[in-house]
Amino acid sequence: MPLITNPILPGFNPDPSICRVGDDYYIATSTFEWYPGVQLHHSRDLVNWRLLPQALNRKSQLDMRGEPDSCGVWAPNLQYADGLFWLIYTDVRRYDGNYKDVFNYLVTASSIEGPWSDPVYLNSSGFDPGMFHDDDGRKWLLNMVWDHRATKGGSTDPARLFHGIVMQEYDHAEKRLVGPARRIFHRSPLGMTEGPNLTKHDGWYYLTVAEGGTGYNHAVTHARSRDIWGPYELHPDIHVITSRHAPDWPLQRAGHGQMVELPDGSVYHTHLCSRPLRGPDGTRRSPMGRETAIQKMYWGEDGWLHRSSGRLEPDVTVEAPNLPPAPVPDLPTRDDFDAPRLSPVFQWLRTPERDRIFSLTARPGHLRLYGRESIGSWYEQALVARRQTDFRYTASTTVEFSPRSFQQMAGLTAYYARDRFHYLHVTADDAGNRILSIQACVGSYPDYKLQFPLENDILLPEDGPVHLKVEVDRNTLQFFYATEEADWRSVGPVLDASILSDEAGKGEHGSFTGAFVGMAAQDLTGQVLAADFDHFTYEAG
């Protein structure tokens, strides 16, 4: 019996929205501050998934410069109707404190690989919008509503910030919302209700929501109604997927997903999850962030969806559907930057003006990074990286860089956010000598400061390539360098890799992305000194 192994999309791939078009299945996931926006994958058997180009790839669709870490694109919703793909997404510009400044948009495309249209602005009342296309052709927008009054009276209950799910009709001809916006569902006893998806089956409207926050109390909740406006009654079990009562379960933080019905009537349900590492003190940290998994469901005699396994906790292995096997090529372990476009495995941060931070044509066969702002900038930093998708991996690159100042840097970084990274870089000392150094920021929020773990910087040859490597083994990280190829030497102490996680820094409800590894360049003098990277290699194990 063929099996699905979870997570199906390893590494930072949260908030999965699944869509079937004939025999093809697509999943859209959140990208937050990483550009281009909205990660897309394709499968024909629900077992093997191929990475597609991201959807939001130009300034008119998305410009996140200045947006803090863990803002940007939240919870995309992918649908197919009327011969078009419909993609709804939130651009979050502030998320801390009582207020969330959010903007919800719609883009469409005739092909999943685009081009996607310029966005239609929808509303700003809350985040996690979803579109439902009813049988009569009417279209409905659902989103949670954020209530900034939650602390009134001295309350500290975070569930009060979540005011429930509202719905409003969308007129596609006029490209605007019409009619009243009404709350159709408030919450289960768990609360913190978000991530709405609506579907119709056997005359019932089924509402799927995420609840419990995106930490270890996360859950998928179902409700239904005969009338689209409600009232919606809760599922007899309330939640259909959660790990909240099983702290040692291998897949934790399970929630926020969507059901999909196959041509034979079988049903599967996506959800996010994480695979936390345990520290010596019992601390749980998830360097790969929230990943995408899928579970098999069935329609019960009571008309509700139930887990085929009979339990709420998500399974690591799941019976695959009765579909022809459709393997996809493995992602290459090495990129020599010979193509004119960057592979979709790589992303960068916030800016739509990619030509200002990198080029693949300025020096063919190399990725040229133009040194811009600091590695912690929210505006314009030259950092190109890929997701960590394995507990153990080795990544390496070769850089040619001739700094003249200590303010000019380029190298290899394992990166989560401005307050959590390790960075092995070529720079210069006060005498102008080329040296190798390490910066680290370990997420001691809010008082985070740079650390310099390398006791004595390493003097490098005046010119020539420098080979850089990082080895990560679960909670540990070790840098290496070489000036002659394959003559690797360890550099600096063993570092804490677990700080590159959601739970480090502000804690499990404060960050929402995942660990990346890649190449970076800074020029704090403003002279835009370039660094050329000959290749990038990522190998699991």
PDB file of all heavy atoms in Angstrom, residues 504-518:
ATOM      1  N   ALA A 504      12.214  30.580  19.649  1.00  0.00           N
ATOM      2  CA  ALA A 504      13.254  31.442  20.193  1.00  0.00           C
ATOM      3  C   ALA A 504      12.810  32.903  20.056  1.00  0.00           C
ATOM      4  O   ALA A 504      11.815  33.214  19.407  1.00  0.00           O
ATOM      5  CB  ALA A 504      14.566  31.204  19.464  1.00  0.00           C
ATOM      6  N   GLY A 505      13.551  33.799  20.654  1.00  0.00           N
ATOM      7  CA  GLY A 505      13.182  35.203  20.552  1.00  0.00           C
ATOM      8  C   GLY A 505      11.928  35.504  21.332  1.00  0.00           C
ATOM      9  O   GLY A 505      11.877  35.354  22.545  1.00  0.00           O
ATOM     10  N   LYS A 506      10.862  35.897  20.635  1.00  0.00           N
ATOM     11  CA  LYS A 506       9.620  36.310  21.287  1.00  0.00           C
ATOM     12  C   LYS A 506       8.789  35.137  21.790  1.00  0.00           C
ATOM     13  O   LYS A 506       7.795  35.333  22.471  1.00  0.00           O
ATOM     14  CB  LYS A 506       8.773  37.132  20.309  1.00  0.00           C
ATOM     15  CG  LYS A 506       9.411  38.433  19.858  1.00  0.00           C
ATOM     16  CD  LYS A 506       8.492  39.160  18.888  1.00  0.00           C
ATOM     17  CE  LYS A 506       9.127  40.435  18.372  1.00  0.00           C
ATOM     18  NZ  LYS A 506       8.239  41.154  17.414  1.00  0.00           N
ATOM     19  N   GLY A 507       9.136  33.921  21.402  1.00  0.00           N
ATOM     20  CA  GLY A 507       8.349  32.773  21.827  1.00  0.00           C
ATOM     21  C   GLY A 507       7.454  32.257  20.727  1.00  0.00           C
ATOM     22  O   GLY A 507       7.374  32.826  19.636  1.00  0.00           O
ATOM     23  N   GLU A 508       6.726  31.170  21.028  1.00  0.00           N
ATOM     24  CA  GLU A 508       6.024  30.417  19.989  1.00  0.00           C
ATOM     25  C   GLU A 508       4.939  31.206  19.265  1.00  0.00           C
ATOM     26  O   GLU A 508       4.573  30.867  18.148  1.00  0.00           O
ATOM     27  CB  GLU A 508       5.410  29.151  20.596  1.00  0.00           C
ATOM     28  CG  GLU A 508       4.311  29.419  21.615  1.00  0.00           C
ATOM     29  CD  GLU A 508       3.791  28.157  22.267  1.00  0.00           C
ATOM     30  OE1 GLU A 508       4.392  27.731  23.259  1.00  0.00           O
ATOM     31  OE2 GLU A 508       2.791  27.604  21.768  1.00  0.00           O
ATOM     32  N   HIS A 509       4.398  32.255  19.871  1.00  0.00           N
ATOM     33  CA  HIS A 509       3.363  33.050  19.208  1.00  0.00           C
ATOM     34  C   HIS A 509       3.914  34.349  18.630  1.00  0.00           C
ATOM     35  O   HIS A 509       3.145  35.186  18.159  1.00  0.00           O
ATOM     36  CB  HIS A 509       2.232  33.373  20.182  1.00  0.00           C
ATOM     37  CG  HIS A 509       1.491  32.174  20.668  1.00  0.00           C
ATOM     38  ND1 HIS A 509       0.603  31.478  19.883  1.00  0.00           N
ATOM     39  CD2 HIS A 509       1.534  31.531  21.863  1.00  0.00           C
ATOM     40  CE1 HIS A 509       0.114  30.457  20.575  1.00  0.00           C
ATOM     41  NE2 HIS A 509       0.660  30.468  21.772  1.00  0.00           N
ATOM     42  N   GLY A 510       5.249  34.506  18.655  1.00  0.00           N
ATOM     43  CA  GLY A 510       5.816  35.774  18.244  1.00  0.00           C
ATOM     44  C   GLY A 510       6.489  35.777  16.892  1.00  0.00           C
ATOM     45  O   GLY A 510       6.775  36.839  16.348  1.00  0.00           O
ATOM     46  N   SER A 511       6.765  34.598  16.326  1.00  0.00           N
ATOM     47  CA  SER A 511       7.442  34.510  15.031  1.00  0.00           C
ATOM     48  C   SER A 511       6.830  33.364  14.239  1.00  0.00           C
ATOM     49  O   SER A 511       6.420  32.359  14.810  1.00  0.00           O
ATOM     50  CB  SER A 511       8.941  34.259  15.219  1.00  0.00           C
ATOM     51  OG  SER A 511       9.525  35.273  15.998  1.00  0.00           O
ATOM     52  N   PHE A 512       6.827  33.493  12.908  1.00  0.00           N
ATOM     53  CA  PHE A 512       5.999  32.582  12.121  1.00  0.00           C
ATOM     54  C   PHE A 512       6.668  32.012  10.881  1.00  0.00           C
ATOM     55  O   PHE A 512       5.986  31.471  10.012  1.00  0.00           O
ATOM     56  CB  PHE A 512       4.714  33.308  11.697  1.00  0.00           C
ATOM     57  CG  PHE A 512       4.018  34.024  12.814  1.00  0.00           C
ATOM     58  CD1 PHE A 512       3.775  35.380  12.738  1.00  0.00           C
ATOM     59  CD2 PHE A 512       3.606  33.348  13.953  1.00  0.00           C
ATOM     60  CE1 PHE A 512       3.130  36.051  13.772  1.00  0.00           C
ATOM     61  CE2 PHE A 512       2.970  34.001  14.984  1.00  0.00           C
ATOM     62  CZ  PHE A 512       2.734  35.361  14.897  1.00  0.00           C
ATOM     63  N   THR A 513       7.981  32.135  10.747  1.00  0.00           N
ATOM     64  CA  THR A 513       8.605  31.696   9.497  1.00  0.00           C
ATOM     65  C   THR A 513       9.390  30.408   9.719  1.00  0.00           C
ATOM     66  O   THR A 513       8.843  29.414  10.157  1.00  0.00           O
ATOM     67  CB  THR A 513       9.475  32.825   8.907  1.00  0.00           C
ATOM     68  OG1 THR A 513      10.461  33.221   9.855  1.00  0.00           O
ATOM     69  CG2 THR A 513       8.617  34.025   8.550  1.00  0.00           C
ATOM     70  N   GLY A 514      10.678  30.383   9.394  1.00  0.00           N
ATOM     71  CA  GLY A 514      11.485  29.188   9.536  1.00  0.00           C
ATOM     72  C   GLY A 514      12.917  29.503   9.157  1.00  0.00           C
ATOM     73  O   GLY A 514      13.223  30.582   8.630  1.00  0.00           O
ATOM     74  N   ALA A 515      13.818  28.562   9.416  1.00  0.00           N
ATOM     75  CA  ALA A 515      15.238  28.786   9.162  1.00  0.00           C
ATOM     76  C   ALA A 515      15.553  28.710   7.669  1.00  0.00           C
ATOM     77  O   ALA A 515      15.029  27.849   6.953  1.00  0.00           O
ATOM     78  CB  ALA A 515      16.075  27.772   9.933  1.00  0.00           C
ATOM     79  N   PHE A 516      16.435  29.607   7.233  1.00  0.00           N
ATOM     80  CA  PHE A 516      16.960  29.626   5.871  1.00  0.00           C
ATOM     81  C   PHE A 516      18.483  29.527   5.948  1.00  0.00           C
ATOM     82  O   PHE A 516      19.096  29.807   6.985  1.00  0.00           O
ATOM     83  CB  PHE A 516      16.595  30.931   5.155  1.00  0.00           C
ATOM     84  CG  PHE A 516      15.187  30.983   4.628  1.00  0.00           C
ATOM     85  CD1 PHE A 516      14.097  31.024   5.485  1.00  0.00           C
ATOM     86  CD2 PHE A 516      14.938  31.005   3.266  1.00  0.00           C
ATOM     87  CE1 PHE A 516      12.801  31.098   5.004  1.00  0.00           C
ATOM     88  CE2 PHE A 516      13.644  31.071   2.762  1.00  0.00           C
ATOM     89  CZ  PHE A 516      12.570  31.113   3.638  1.00  0.00           C
ATOM     90  N   VAL A 517      19.106  29.177   4.838  1.00  0.00           N
ATOM     91  CA  VAL A 517      20.560  29.216   4.727  1.00  0.00           C
ATOM     92  C   VAL A 517      20.882  29.768   3.345  1.00  0.00           C
ATOM     93  O   VAL A 517      20.261  29.400   2.349  1.00  0.00           O
ATOM     94  CB  VAL A 517      21.192  27.827   4.952  1.00  0.00           C
ATOM     95  CG1 VAL A 517      20.698  26.801   3.939  1.00  0.00           C
ATOM     96  CG2 VAL A 517      22.719  27.921   4.935  1.00  0.00           C
ATOM     97  N   GLY A 518      21.860  30.702   3.294  1.00  0.00           N
ATOM     98  CA  GLY A 518      22.139  31.301   2.003  1.00  0.00           C
ATOM     99  C   GLY A 518      23.278  32.284   2.046  1.00  0.00           C
ATOM    100  O   GLY A 518      24.132  32.251   2.938  1.00  0.00           O
TER     101      GLY A 518
END
